Structures are given as structure tokens and as C-alpha cells.
Amino acid sequence: MKKEEVNLPMAAILGQSLKTIEHYKHEQPHYGELLDILEEVLILREKHRRSTGASLISLDERIAGEKMSGGFPLVDFAGGDLNLEAPEAYFRDLLEIGKKKSPEESARILEELASGALSYETIVRDSFTEGPEAIPEEREGAGEEEETEDDGDEVFDLLSLFVEESLRPSLEKIAEWYAPLLKKRGWNEGFCPICGREPKLAEIRNEEGVRFLFCNQCGYEWSYLRLKCPFCGNDDQDTLAYFSVEGEEQYRVDVCNNCNRYIKTVDFRKMNRPACLDVEDLATIHLDILANEEGYE
Ligand SMILES: [Zn+2]
Ligand SMILES: [Zn+2]
């Protein structure tokens, strides 16, 4: 594919996303601060999308095909070789945004990265093997353990978000390159074929009602049976349910009473605007809170 062909739609997507953000700033003003950060992040993401050159992994088509057929994600974050130069550069840029919200913590992480006290690669790998919660709180020599806890939590979340986001442009490239092969081979798993992460969001975008799972990490989407839990594969209708909030029928929370997990679903048939799932995810945090209160993870 020629470069221009890729850039134009991406710029158009950015335009749509920014419009959706504006919409939500109006509709859900309590998310204002988060939406402001997301806006800055998306603009920066577009810049890095254009400059991301070298591939995160080198994988020939045969091995990629075998991985897909075996139900393994393409990128092996636990043990595979990764070229993290571009993601690390993006991570540093993201921390510059972080400086506005948490100046001291962001500056310190930038310093520690520069001095080698902190390794970006370790942070990334740990976030995949131990979950996003593993991100740098447990650093050695962090010193003052009695930091104000609220602040710590906020920084914590922002950092997890930045680590995830820093890989996004590189993973989007992989998703773009291997999409034709994925379509040919098919993918029936409930986790992402590119990075292996579980989806937090699903969407229904056409009249046939096909459900697509969305990977926040890669931006990749794949179709998945509507009446089946992506996390445990349960398809017993008696233990699958959903709830929605009055006045917000375009969203629902699908829950599984077998594994007690949930996934938010955006029904774009009930909306007259284009899908922008990064923004929808953020603008529906109240649904995550509700699901957690109901005992779903
Ligand atoms: Zn993914
Ligand atoms: Zn389940």
C-alpha cells in the first residue's frame, strides 16, 4: 500500500475522533479532564503514526499463518524479539503530556529512562505478563513510600494508559499488514490476534447485528459470536445476560455469570455518528463502575 493511501483515512479518523470528543465534552462534562488528555494523545498518535517506520517484529508470512491457525497472537510480548525504538520515542512524548497533569512523576520517569534506572522494555513486557497493574509502582529506590495516595493512583492510571498507548501506532501497522492474512485464516478467539490482550469493548455496527470485539491496545477489531462470552467461551444463554442504563440504550454491558466478566458494547445502529471506540471507552467509565459494583470484572 502506498503511504498516501494510509495517511489520508487516518487523518480523517482523527478528525472524527476529535469531533466525538467535542460531543462528549458537551454531553458528559465530568469527563472533561480525561477527554482533554485523550484529545492531546490522539493528535500525538497521528504524528507518530506517520513517523513509525521499522516494524515492531519481523515475522514471515508462513510463521504468521501458523500462529494464527494455532490461536497464538502475532506479537509475543513475553519472550519474542521486539524493536521498541519507535514506541519508546512515543512514550517519552506522551510523558511530556503527562507533565501537565503529574509534573513531578512524569519528569522523574523521563529522567530514570534517560539514566537507565528504568527500562522501557521491562515496563512493556511486564504490562503483558503481569497485567497493566504491574506498571512502575514497584520500582526500586522510589524512596518516599508515603506519597499522597490519591495522586499516586492517578499517576498510576495515566502511566498504564501511556504504556499501552505508546505501542499503538506500531501495533496498528502490524494489524494493517497482516489483516488480509487474518481474514483468510480466520480468528475465533476472544483475545486479540495481534497482541493477545482481551477486549474491553465490542461494537455492533451493521443491521445484521454482527458483533466485533475491539482491542484497545492495537485498535484491531474482529468478529465474534454475539451470544458467547469472549473470556471463557461460555455460550449457555441462561448464564449470559446484559444490562443498560436508562437513556443510554446505545450502550449495554454484556455479562457472563459463568466467569463473572463483562464487556461494554456500543450499538452503532442506535447512534447517528461514526464509531470511535477509543473515545467511547473513556466516555463510558460509569458503565465499568456499575459492572464492578455488580461484581463483574
Ligand atoms: Zn491487540
Ligand atoms: Zn465467561
Side-chain angles (χ1 to χ4, degrees), residues 11-59:
I13 289 170
L14 174 64
Q16 277 172 9
S17 305
L18 296 182
K19 256 192 217 160
T20 308
I21 289 178
E22 282 313 310
H23 165 86
Y24 277 119
K25 277 188 187 171
H26 216 257
E27 294 270 305
Q28 314 249 32
H30 51 286
Y31 287 135
E33 200 188 348
L34 283 174
L35 290 165
D36 282 341
I37 293 175
L38 184 63
E39 193 169 20
E40 284 192 68
V41 167
L42 292 183
I43 292 167
L44 195 59
R45 180 194 291 174
E46 182 61 23
K47 192 183 134 214
H48 280 269
R49 257 177 189 153
R50 287 160 190 260
S51 63
T52 294
S55 174
L56 189 66
I57 50 164
S58 56
L59 204 60

Side-chain angles (χ1 to χ4, degrees), residues 171 192-197 215-220 222:
L171 286 168
C192 174
I194 311 296
C195 73
R197 281 228 200 271
C215 175
N216 294 59
Q217 175 66 82
C218 306
Y220 187 75
W222 67 103

Side-chain angles (χ1 to χ4, degrees), residues 213-249:
L213 303 180
F214 175 75
C215 175
N216 294 59
Q217 175 66 82
C218 306
Y220 187 75
E221 284 181 308
W222 67 103
S223 63
Y224 193 78
L225 285 179
R226 182 107 167 255
L227 300 170
K228 184 174 177 178
C229 170
F231 308 112
C232 72
N234 172 27
D235 59 3
D236 170 14
Q237 304 315 306
D238 291 340
T239 50
L240 294 170
Y242 72 91
F243 66 85
S244 56
V245 172
E246 211 185 324
E248 292 188 359
E249 281 76 17

Side-chain angles (χ1 to χ4, degrees), residues 111-260:
E111 270 168 36
E112 290 186 6
L113 281 172
S115 73
L118 194 64
S119 147
Y120 172 73
E121 181 171 344
T122 307
I123 299 174
V124 166
R125 292 196 192 270
D126 287 354
S127 81
F128 277 87
T129 52
E130 295 164 35
E133 293 76 17
I135 295 164
E137 203 195 31
E138 304 277 325
R139 285 191 323 280
E140 286 163 40
E144 312 144 42
E145 279 190 25
E146 297 302 319
E147 288 174 56
T148 47
E149 281 209 1
D150 287 346
D151 259 22
D153 279 350
E154 278 182 41
V155 170
F156 194 71
D157 286 340
L158 198 61
L159 271 179
S160 310
L161 183 83
F162 285 171
V163 172
E164 183 178 279
E165 175 62 27
S166 65
L167 294 161
R168 177 78 176 257
S170 301
L171 286 168
E172 278 180 356
K173 292 259 155 138
I174 310 251
E176 198 181 286
W177 287 327
Y178 292 101
L181 192 61
L182 267 167
K183 289 227 163 65
K184 209 166 81 184
R185 296 266 180 160
W187 183 259
N188 303 314
E189 308 296 337
F191 53 87
C192 174
I194 311 296
C195 73
R197 281 228 200 271
E198 291 177 333
K200 290 196 288 181
L201 218 58
E203 69 161 309
I204 294 168
R205 60 185 177 198
N206 55 27
E207 288 308 317
E208 293 78 53
V210 176
R211 172 168 75 159
F212 288 83
L213 303 180
F214 175 75
C215 175
N216 294 59
Q217 175 66 82
C218 306
Y220 187 75
E221 284 181 308
W222 67 103
S223 63
Y224 193 78
L225 285 179
R226 182 107 167 255
L227 300 170
K228 184 174 177 178
C229 170
F231 308 112
C232 72
N234 172 27
D235 59 3
D236 170 14
Q237 304 315 306
D238 291 340
T239 50
L240 294 170
Y242 72 91
F243 66 85
S244 56
V245 172
E246 211 185 324
E248 292 188 359
E249 281 76 17
Q250 68 274 37
Y251 305 117
R252 58 188 251 179
V253 179
D254 287 288
V255 302
C256 171
N257 289 315
N258 182 46
C259 67
N260 287 327

